[in-house]
Amino acid sequence: MFRLELIGNLGSDAEVREYNGEKFVSFRLADTQRFVDTEGVVTERTQWFSCTMQGEQKALLPYLLKGQRVFVRGRGYLKTYDSQVAHTKVAGCDVRVSELELVGASKEERENAQRWAQANEYIMSLGYTDWNQIPKNPQGQKG
């Protein structure tokens, strides 16, 4: 395990998943490096990271779409898995995200995401675990 900070693009829309009763958000993050090799050829190398965040992250989910540039900070875990294409062992990295910021988003998008995150924290503090649990017609209102 090691600390990790990355800036990259989402490879697909983020998804909410559930494991052992806990919800989390997962997404793939691409970090592309461009460099000139010893022969003077510009080369690109893309590394993929499997990222997960605890909770449903309803505030951020609408913004975590394919191609969105993000900054993530978290703990990295090295892994190996069998490649179905190359029929060999391949190294990879899982990231448990503790902090995420939208990069390149407009000021309005960042403010909206922050307001949704604050609203989400508030409803969680009231004991709700899901937005769907909030009564549609609170007492005293006609609907």
Side-chain angles (χ1 to χ4, degrees):
M1 172 182 65
F2 50 93
R3 299 273 306 153
L4 187 63
E5 293 182 347
L6 297 166
I7 294 178
N9 297 317
L10 271 61
S12 61
D13 295 353
E15 299 177 350
V16 176
R17 298 182 180 200
E18 191 169 338
Y19 182 73
N20 287 339
E22 281 194 53
K23 291 186 178 180
F24 62 94
V25 172
S26 68
F27 55 90
R28 302 264 297 148
L29 185 70
D31 175 38
T32 302
Q33 298 174 342
R34 291 170 186 82
F35 58 93
V36 179
D37 65 14
T38 55
E39 297 175 4
V41 178
V42 176
T43 305
E44 273 189 9
R45 183 180 307 148
T46 300
Q47 289 183 283
W48 287 92
F49 298 87
S50 297
C51 301
T52 56
M53 293 178 66
Q54 282 189 305
E56 257 182 282
Q57 304 298 325
K58 286 193 175 199
L60 287 173
L61 205 55
Y63 301 98
L64 297 179
L65 304 175
K66 181 177 180 174
Q68 173 65 52
R69 194 157 181 79
V70 296
F71 164 81
V72 297
R73 177 179 288 141
R75 296 184 185 272
Y77 298 87
L78 295 177
K79 65 175 183 172
T80 58
Y81 58 94
D82 294 322
S83 170
Q84 295 175 355
V85 176
H87 303 293
T88 184
K89 294 270 186 201
V90 179
C93 183
D94 286 340
V95 180
R96 302 293 183 262
V97 177
S98 58
E99 194 175 321
L100 181 140
E101 290 181 35
L102 302 176
V103 177
S106 69
K107 181 179 179 184
E108 182 181 353
E109 287 173 326
R110 286 192 306 272
E111 289 172 352
N112 284 341
Q114 186 176 18
R115 279 194 291 273
W116 272 103
Q118 290 169 345
N120 197 48
E121 285 179 27
Y122 176 70
I123 69 147
M124 296 296 178
S125 73
L126 295 175
Y128 298 111
T129 58
D130 191 302
W131 283 84
N132 295 325
Q133 293 177 329
I134 299 173
K136 300 289 184 229
N137 292 318
Q139 292 179 352
Q141 292 186 1
K142 294 183 180 179

